[in-house]
Amino acid sequence: MTETEQHSVVYQHHQSARSPRLAVALALWAAGLVALLVLLSPAIWIILLFGLPLLPGLWELWRNPTALLELDAQRLSWRNATSAADIPLEQISHIRLDKRWDFSHRTTVHTRLGKRLCIPPDCQPPHRPFEQALAQAGLRVERHHFRIY
């Protein structure tokens, strides 16, 4: 087996903060502020107060942090703006996929040494194709729905 075959990517998920969804949401919020200003003529401090939620979105749009998750024949790795991890598959005991009460998904990697590593939310891939890729890689997957622990 060649080096490229050995490290061929089984599953890859790449996500960028600069998305059309974010741009549309910011544009709609700003349009709402302009409409509020034109139609109701409120005090400027009210417009500024309601404009504050735009700032984090504009910062993300300008900075554009990326997140990446890769699964290949040898390892599971992820990286984002604040953290990175690279775990060999033989060190993984199982992977737990949780559906939370707010319908979001959380993925926790359990190692054979008893360590738990949570995959950051911005690195989370769509859960169904990821679960299939994990099974294809020979990893044990536990799925839990709406559990409190």
Side-chain angles (χ1 to χ4, degrees), residues 51-107:
L52 287 177
L54 285 171
L55 296 178
L58 289 171
W59 178 251
E60 288 292 305
L61 195 64
W62 180 72
R63 221 183 57 175
N64 193 27
T66 59
L68 174 70
L69 180 131
E70 273 189 357
L71 172 67
D72 63 29
Q74 303 297 318
R75 62 185 174 77
L76 172 66
S77 63
W78 63 84
R79 67 174 167 75
N80 63 8
T82 58
S83 66
D86 190 9
I87 309 164
L89 292 185
E90 63 267 2
Q91 289 183 7
I92 297 174
S93 166
H94 66 282
I95 295 181
R96 180 179 168 136
L97 300 172
D98 293 308
K99 183 184 280 187
R100 302 168 113 190
W101 288 101
D102 63 354
F103 295 100
S104 65
H105 293 271
R106 180 180 184 170
T107 304

Side-chain angles (χ1 to χ4, degrees), residues 1-19:
M1 185 180 289
T2 66
E3 184 69 26
T4 55
E5 289 173 355
Q6 202 173 37
H7 293 290
S8 64
V9 175
V10 174
Y11 186 82
Q12 184 177 33
H13 173 71
H14 181 270
Q15 186 169 315
S16 169
R18 191 174 293 154
S19 67

Side-chain angles (χ1 to χ4, degrees), residues 97-144:
L97 300 172
D98 293 308
K99 183 184 280 187
R100 302 168 113 190
W101 288 101
D102 63 354
F103 295 100
S104 65
H105 293 271
R106 180 180 184 170
T107 304
T108 308
V109 179
H110 293 261
T111 65
R112 297 196 187 281
L113 299 174
K115 198 174 180 184
R116 286 189 236 167
L117 301 165
C118 291
I119 297 177
D122 56 342
C123 294
Q124 290 276 347
H127 61 96
R128 287 193 177 108
F130 185 51
E131 183 177 6
Q132 291 171 355
L134 291 170
Q136 181 184 358
L139 294 170
R140 185 170 62 104
V141 178
E142 291 181 3
R143 181 172 274 291
H144 297 273

